[in-house]
Amino acid sequence: MSGNTFGTLYCVTSFGESHGPAYGGVVDGCPPGLALSGDDLQKELDRRKPGTSRHVTQRRESDKVEILSGVYEGRTTGTPIGFLVRNEDQRSKDYSAIAERFRPGHADYTYWQKYGARDPRGGGRASARETLVRVAAGAIARKWLNERYGVSIRGCLAQLGPHAIDFEDWKFVDENSFFAANAQVVPKLEAYMDSLRESGDSVGARVNVVASGVPPGWGEPVYGRLDADIAAAMMSINAVKGVEIGAGFASVSQRGSEHGDEMTPEGFVSNNNGGVLGGISSGQDIVVSIALKPTSSIRLPRRTITTRGEAVTVATTGRHDPCVGIRATPIAEAMLACVLMDQALRHRAQCADVARPLQLEKPRKIN
Amino acid sequence: MSGNTFGTLYCVTSFGESHGPAYGGVVDGCPPGLALSGDDLQKELDRRKPGTSRHVTQRRESDKVEILSGVYEGRTTGTPIGFLVRNEDQRSKDYSAIAERFRPGHADYTYWQKYGARDPRGGGRASARETLVRVAAGAIARKWLNERYGVSIRGCLAQLGPHAIDFEDWKFVDENSFFAANAQVVPKLEAYMDSLRESGDSVGARVNVVASGVPPGWGEPVYGRLDADIAAAMMSINAVKGVEIGAGFASVSQRGSEHGDEMTPEGFVSNNNGGVLGGISSGQDIVVSIALKPTSSIRLPRRTITTRGEAVTVATTGRHDPCVGIRATPIAEAMLACVLMDQALRHRAQCADVARPLQLEKPRKIN
Amino acid sequence: MSGNTFGTLYCVTSFGESHGPAYGGVVDGCPPGLALSGDDLQKELDRRKPGTSRHVTQRRESDKVEILSGVYEGRTTGTPIGFLVRNEDQRSKDYSAIAERFRPGHADYTYWQKYGARDPRGGGRASARETLVRVAAGAIARKWLNERYGVSIRGCLAQLGPHAIDFEDWKFVDENSFFAANAQVVPKLEAYMDSLRESGDSVGARVNVVASGVPPGWGEPVYGRLDADIAAAMMSINAVKGVEIGAGFASVSQRGSEHGDEMTPEGFVSNNNGGVLGGISSGQDIVVSIALKPTSSIRLPRRTITTRGEAVTVATTGRHDPCVGIRATPIAEAMLACVLMDQALRHRAQCADVARPLQLEKPRKIN
Amino acid sequence: MSGNTFGTLYCVTSFGESHGPAYGGVVDGCPPGLALSGDDLQKELDRRKPGTSRHVTQRRESDKVEILSGVYEGRTTGTPIGFLVRNEDQRSKDYSAIAERFRPGHADYTYWQKYGARDPRGGGRASARETLVRVAAGAIARKWLNERYGVSIRGCLAQLGPHAIDFEDWKFVDENSFFAANAQVVPKLEAYMDSLRESGDSVGARVNVVASGVPPGWGEPVYGRLDADIAAAMMSINAVKGVEIGAGFASVSQRGSEHGDEMTPEGFVSNNNGGVLGGISSGQDIVVSIALKPTSSIRLPRRTITTRGEAVTVATTGRHDPCVGIRATPIAEAMLACVLMDQALRHRAQCADVARPLQLEKPRKIN
C-alpha cells in the first residue's frame, strides 16, 4: 500500500496539492447504516479552516466539502465514501524565487531530492492544507465511534511556545481560537502571537488529545499495537516531531512502583500508561501528546542554497500560520479517531466471539 | 495484514511466546545476493541476550539462532528468510498466582480482556523476549544498508532513571553492559542499579538511536512518511511510551529562526529535524530518541484485582530486568534498520529513474 | 487494505456509484516525471464509453475526466493522482420495483444481504460503470510501461456467445465496435446482436489480452505471483467467471512433452505458459483469457423473490448492455496494465541490483 | 506486504525450500479459543504427503508438523501460530546438470532471471513441496469455519489428462489415491498413470472444490471480491493455469435467461454463479474449478538452453509426480478455506452490526 493511504480496515486515501484544483479523499471500510451528511464533515472542517482569526493564515478558503459516494438516503452504504474540497484562493504569484531556493526546515529540499522535481506552489503536496482530508475522514470515524461505542475524542492546545497552558475544562476549547482548555490564558496567548507575528518569526506548540470511553481490548500486538498506530498517525501530521502516550518521557525517571497503574474493583487508580498496556486499550482514557515544530516559512532571512547549490538567503512572504500548532487540535483528534475506528474494526474481526471476561464498574477518567 | 507482520516490502513476521517451544521470524523481501550467515544474526542477538550482567534478567538462554531458508551457498536468494530460536530456560514454576491477578502496568489485563484467555507463563506473547525476532531481522537489514548504501546505525543509553548520560563517544557503547556512550558514568550506573535491585523496584530509561549515511529521498509522504514509520516501529517496542525525532519535544518552545536548519553548500548547519523533512530523509543523520517505562514486574507489593474482580495485592518474584531500557539499545537499532531498509526499497521502486539533482559535498554529521 | 484499493505499490483506489454525483479514483505510487495529461486518460475512457454503438447501453455519458492532483507542468510529480468523472445521465426513474425484487444473476441480492441496505439506482456500486476508474488508472500504467520498458498491451473479443472470433490482426480491433481482431466477422456479430437485443435476452463473451515486451523477472513468488495478481485483477471485473493464463484449461489434457515450452538460443519455441513460469514473467507475451457471463438485467421475465421473501417475477427494462463482454476489452487491458506496473515496481524494489544474467536474442512473440 | 504472505486478516506467511532444513509457516489473525492441536494440521498434511501411492513422487517425508506458538492448553490464544516441518529426505545428488540447464516449463529459468541466482536443489522455493504450508494453514481455517459457521469444504479430481471423472459421491474421495469422487473410475486411472509413468511423460488435471454452508455476505467489492481472492489463491498454487467460478468458461456461450440463477422462497434454483454474485457470497455453494498443467520435470529429452545460452537437451530424472494434479485436491481445499476465513473476518469487521435481512429457508445445494 502506497504512502497516501492509511489504515488496515478503515482506510483513508488522500490526494491534492495546495494550489491544484482540489483536495479529496476516499474512506473505505466504513460500516453501513451510519447516518451521515456533508454537514457532519463540514462541522469538523470548519474547526480547522484557515482565516478564522488573525493568529492563523489569512488564506481565504470556504473549505466546502462535497460527498460524492457511499451515502444513500442519508446513511452510509458500506461502499467507499469519496469527498472533495475545491481550492479557491490560489493567489496568483511568482513562485520562481521559492522554486529555486530551499526554505530551512521545509520539505522543499527533500521532495526535490526524492522526486527530481516538485510543485512549488504553496508547498504543493507538503502543504498542511492536506490535513483537511484527515479531518473529514476523522469526522466520520468519530461519529461512528461515538454512536457505536460511546467514545468521545477531545483535544486542546497544551503549550504555545514558552507558554504552558493549564487544563481547566474542555468547555473552553471551542470558545477561543487557540483550542485552549482555559479561558484566562487567552489574552496572554493573543499578546504573544501578536508580538510573534510582528517579529516575523514562528513558534512550536504541544497539543494533547484524549479519547474517552474506549473499551478494553482494541489493539493488535506486537507490531500492530494501538499505540504504534497512534504514534504513526500523529507523526504523519505536518510538523510533528514527538509523540507521547500517557506519562510519555516522564516515564524515564519514574520508578515502577510509581508508574504501574494500580487497580481496584472500581477501576484503575492512575493513568500513567495513557490507556494502552501491551499495545491494547485498557478501558482508561487514551491520552496522547504531540510536539509540533515552528512553521518553517518565516519572514526572517535565513541562509540556504539554491537548486544549483549556491549559497543564498531566503525570507518567506505570503500567508503562513506563525504557529502550525494552533490549528492542529482538530487534526490530531481526527487522526486518533481514524486509528481507533480502524482498531475497533480489527478487534471485532478477530475477537467478535470473545465475551469480555470482566466489566469494571466504571473506568476512572483521568484527563 | 495482521499485527505480527510489519513493513511494506521488507516484511518481518514474528511468532513465539516466552515459555513456548521457540521464537521465530520470517523476513520477506530481502534482495538476493547479500552474503549472510547465522553468525550475522547471532552477533546482534548476543548483544541483547539475557544474563550478560547482574543488571539484567538472570534467565539463561543461549539464544542460538538457526536460519531455515532463503540463504543458499552463503548468499540470500530473494526468497523468505525463516529463522528460529528455541527457548531453553522455561523454569518450571507455578503460574497460578499471576494467572489470576494482574500486575499493575503489565499487559496481563489487556490481553485477557481482548482474547478472553492468555498464556500467563512469563508474559506469554507480551514478553519482551519477542524482541529477539526484531534484532535478528534488523541484523539482516543493517548489513544490507551498510553494504549497499554505507548506512551505519548506532544507539546508546541516554538516561537511566534520574541519571542523564552525556554522550562521549560511540566506542564506549559496547564496552559496558549499559550501552552507555560514556565510560566514566558506568560505576555510578552500576551502583544505582544495585541499589534499585535491592529495593525491589524498577526504573525507566531513554535510548537514542542514530542512522548515518542515509541518502536524501527515503520516505513516502504523506501517511507513509519515514518518521511515521519510525514512530510506529519504536512505539511497538515493549515499554516504549514516547518517541522523538530530532529536536522532538524541545521543538515546542523553539522559534522558527532557531529550529529551521540552515543550509550551506557544505550541507546543513544543524539538525533539529533529525534527518527528516516532510517525511523524507534529508541526508543528515536520522536521530531518534525513545522513552521506556519502568518494568512492571516488581517485587514491591501493589494493589490490583483478580480475574474475578476482587481486590488483592500482587508482588512479582522471578527473573525480570529491573530496567528494560538497559537491553533496549540493540532493539531500537534493529527497528530503525528495518524501517530504513523498507523505505529504501520503496524509494527505489518509485524513484529508481530519478537522478538525484544535487549532491551536497558532505553532509555534516550532528549526533 | 479495504476492498476498493488494489495494488501493492501502484495503488488504485476507486469510489462512485452509477447514479451518484461522480466516479473517481486515486492512483498512488506512480513514478515522477511521466508526461501525463487528461487526454491520456480520456483516450482510453472513450474506448469503453457507453453509447458508442447500438450494441451497447444507450446511456449518454461524455465520461469527461478531470485530473485533480499529482501532475505539475505536464508531468507526474510522484504524489497521488486524483481524477474525477461526473455522472451526467442519471435518468430520473422509479426504482421501487427493482429496489424490492432481485434480478437473477445480479449483485442486488448479495449487496443487500451483506450491507442490510443498498443503493438500487442503476446497480449502485455494483454497476459496471465503475470500470471507468480502472480504465483511467490503466491508461497511466500502460503509458509508463510503454515508455519505460517498451511494453504494449492489446486485447480483443475472442468469442461472442456461440461465435468464436478468429484472430486476424490487431489493427482491426479499433475499427469495429466489438474490439474484434477480425474485420470479416463483424457483420455476423452485428446480426447476432440485433437478433439478441430483439429477443430481450443477453449473452456471454470471451476476451483475450496480451502484453508484449514484458522483461523476464516480474512477479513475486509464492503468493504474490504475477499470474495470481492477474487472476485477481481479471476476476474482479464485473461479470468475469473464469481466467486463463496461456494454455489455461487446455493444459488439463496436455502432456508435459507438449505443454512445457522448449527453449533455444533464439528464445522460447511455444508459449503454453502464457509468459509466466513459477509466477514470474518469462519474457514471452503475457497471454490472458477471460470469460464474461451474460448481463443479468434482461427484458425476459424471470422468477425471483422480493425483499420480504415472496415469489414474484422480474423483467428489467432500461438501458443495459446486452453483452457486457463487448465493452470489456479496454477494461481487461487496463487491469493487466495496472498489475504489470505494480509488479514492475515491486521487482525493481527488491532486485534493482540484479544484473539479468541472460538476454535472449529476441523473445519469439506468440499471440 | 511481500509475496510470501497472503490474506488481509487471516494472514499466512510461508518459508522454506525443497532441500533446505525445513518448511514453516505463520498464521496470524486466528480468533482465540479455537481448540487446536498438531493433529488437526497433521491430518490434512497426511492427505497431501508424498509417497502414499505409486502414482505420486516417491520422496519419503513423514511431514511431521510441530506447532511452535499461538496455542495454550489446547486452544488458540489469538497470537500467531508458528509451525514447522523438517525436511528429511533431501537425497544427496549432483544438481550441477540441472543447475546449468533449464527444464522447459519450469520456474528454473524465471527464478534465475529474476534473482540472478537460485537454489537448484529440488526446485528450491519453486518446489510444490511449499504447498504443505498452505495445507497446514488451511487446516486451521477449515476447522474454524466449520465450528463457527458450519462451512464444509470438499474437493475432488475432476479430470486426469484425457479422462473426465464423473462425480458420484464425496464419500469416495478419501478411498482412492486420486481424490476421485467415483470408485469405478479408479482402475482406469491407475492403468493410465502406470502407462504414463512408463512413457516418461506427465499430464495435466482438473480439480474441483466446493464450499458448502457459506452464509451470504462474505466478500468485499470491488477489488477485494470473494471471487477475486479465490482466483488469486488458486492461481498461486504451483502449476495452475486456469480458474473458474460456477459456470466459468461455459458462461461465454450461455444466454442471460439461462445463466442468471432464478430464486424462489426456498432458495436459488440453479448455481451458475458458483455462489458468488457481485463478488459477495450468495449463500449457495461456492464452486471452483482449476486447471493444472502437466509436471515440467519429465524423463523425455527436451530442447533447452544452458545458463550461458547454449542449445542443449535436458531430461529430468529423480522423484517427480507425473501429474501434480493428483495431490492438488487438499491444497486447493486449503486455499479456499484460507480465503473464506479471511473474508469471514473482514465481513464481520465491517458488517457485524448488520442484521441479515432475509434468511432463505434452505439454500439448495448444487455440487
Side-chain angles (χ1 to χ4, degrees), chain D residues 129-162:
Chain D
R129 190 158 164 68
E130 185 277 333
T131 56
L132 65 80
V133 176
R134 305 165 186 241
V135 169
I140 303 170
R142 69 198 306 164
K143 190 164 195 217
W144 185 80
L145 286 165
N146 190 262
E147 295 189 0
R148 179 64 184 79
Y149 290 100
V151 172
S152 67
I153 296 169
R154 289 171 295 201
C156 61
L157 189 68
Q159 187 168 343
L160 177 70

Side-chain angles (χ1 to χ4, degrees), chain C residues 223 227-236 240-243 245, chain D residues 225-237 240-245 288-290 335-336 339:
Chain C
Y223 304 130
D227 43 359
D229 277 13
I230 292 172
M234 295 298 161
M235 197 65 94
S236 82
V240 172
K241 301 303 288 182
V243 182
I245 310 283
Chain D
R225 285 167 196 249
L226 176 55
D227 42 0
D229 277 12
I230 291 172
M234 294 298 160
M235 197 66 95
S236 83
I237 299 174
V240 171
K241 301 304 288 182
V243 182
E244 295 183 315
I245 309 283
V288 184
S289 187
I290 60 176
M335 292 308 281
L336 184 55
V339 168

Side-chain angles (χ1 to χ4, degrees), chain A residues 125-200:
Chain A
R125 181 70 181 153
S127 168
R129 189 157 164 67
E130 184 277 332
T131 56
L132 64 81
V133 176
R134 305 164 187 242
V135 169
I140 303 170
R142 69 197 307 164
K143 189 163 196 220
W144 184 80
L145 285 166
N146 189 261
E147 296 190 0
R148 179 64 183 79
Y149 291 102
V151 172
S152 67
I153 297 169
R154 289 172 294 200
C156 60
L157 188 68
Q159 186 168 343
L160 178 70
H163 301 291
I165 303 168
D166 289 338
F167 180 89
E168 289 290 332
D169 198 296
W170 290 116
K171 72 178 177 189
F172 298 122
V173 169
D174 282 331
E175 295 177 2
N176 62 79
S177 48
F178 297 97
F179 299 94
N182 181 319
Q184 288 171 303
V185 78
V186 173
K188 187 171 69 177
L189 301 181
E190 295 194 316
Y192 178 76
M193 287 305 297
D194 287 340
S195 140
L196 179 73
R197 210 165 49 246
E198 197 161 339
S199 74

Side-chain angles (χ1 to χ4, degrees), chain A residues 1-6 8 12 14 102 104-107 109-116 125 130 133-134 159 161-162 192 196 199 201-206 216-225 227-228 231-232 235-238 240-245 248-249 251-257 259-265 268-269 272-273 276-278 280-282 289-295 298 300 302-311 335 347 350-351 354 356-358 360, chain B residues 1-6 8 12 14 102 104-107 109-116 125 130 133-134 159 161-162 192 196 199 201-206 216-225 227-228 231-232 235-238 240-245 248-249 251-257 259-265 268-269 272-273 276-278 280-282 289-295 298 300 302-311 335 347 350-351 354 356-358 360:
Chain A
M1 174 160 85
S2 284
N4 294 279
T5 297
F6 78 99
T8 297
V12 181
S14 157
F102 306 111
H106 198 277
Y109 175 71
T110 53
Y111 268 71
W112 181 68
Q113 287 278 42
K114 180 179 188 68
Y115 298 118
R125 181 70 181 153
E130 184 277 332
V133 176
R134 305 164 187 242
Q159 186 168 343
Y192 178 76
L196 179 73
S199 74
D201 212 340
S202 64
V203 81
R206 177 193 279 263
W218 294 1
E220 282 194 1
V222 296
Y223 304 131
R225 286 167 194 250
D227 41 1
M235 197 65 94
S236 82
I237 299 173
N238 305 50
V240 171
K241 301 303 288 182
V243 182
E244 294 182 316
I245 309 283
F249 280 90
S251 310
V252 171
S253 51
Q254 284 179 321
R255 293 214 162 195
S257 55
H259 179 93
D261 305 304
E262 291 187 306
M263 303 179 76
T264 71
F268 288 89
V269 169
N272 284 295
N273 278 295
V276 189
L277 287 166
I280 304 170
S281 64
S282 67
S289 188
I290 60 175
L292 295 111
K293 70 176 187 182
T295 313
I298 56 177
L300 301 177
R302 309 220 65 212
R303 284 182 293 167
T304 190
I305 58 174
T306 67
T307 53
R308 288 170 306 281
E310 305 148 339
M335 292 306 281
H347 175 64
Q350 188 182 21
C351 298
V354 174
R356 200 199 307 163
L358 188 66
L360 291 190
Chain B
M1 175 159 84
S2 283
N4 294 279
T5 297
F6 78 100
T8 296
V12 180
S14 156
F102 306 111
H106 197 277
Y109 175 71
T110 53
Y111 268 70
W112 181 69
Q113 287 279 43
K114 180 178 189 67
Y115 297 118
R125 181 69 181 154
E130 185 277 332
V133 176
R134 306 165 186 240
Q159 186 168 342
Y192 178 76
L196 179 73
S199 74
D201 213 339
S202 63
V203 81
R206 176 193 280 263
W218 295 1
E220 284 193 1
V222 293
Y223 305 131
R225 286 168 194 248
D227 42 359
M235 198 64 95
S236 82
I237 299 173
N238 305 50
V240 171
K241 301 303 289 182
V243 182
E244 294 182 315
I245 310 283
F249 280 90
S251 310
V252 171
S253 52
Q254 284 180 321
R255 293 213 162 198
S257 56
H259 179 93
D261 304 303
E262 292 187 306
M263 302 178 75
T264 72
F268 288 91
V269 169
N272 284 296
N273 278 295
V276 189
L277 287 166
I280 303 171
S281 64
S282 66
S289 187
I290 60 176
L292 295 111
K293 70 177 187 181
T295 315
I298 57 176
L300 301 177
R302 309 220 65 212
R303 283 182 294 167
T304 190
I305 57 172
T306 67
T307 52
R308 287 170 307 280
E310 305 148 338
M335 293 307 281
H347 175 65
Q350 188 183 19
C351 299
V354 173
R356 200 200 307 162
L358 187 66
L360 291 190

Side-chain angles (χ1 to χ4, degrees), chain C residues 66-83:
Chain C
E66 179 188 15
I67 292 182
L68 296 170
S69 65
V71 179
Y72 178 65
E73 296 185 340
R75 293 198 174 267
T76 58
T77 58
T79 61
I81 303 166
F83 56 86

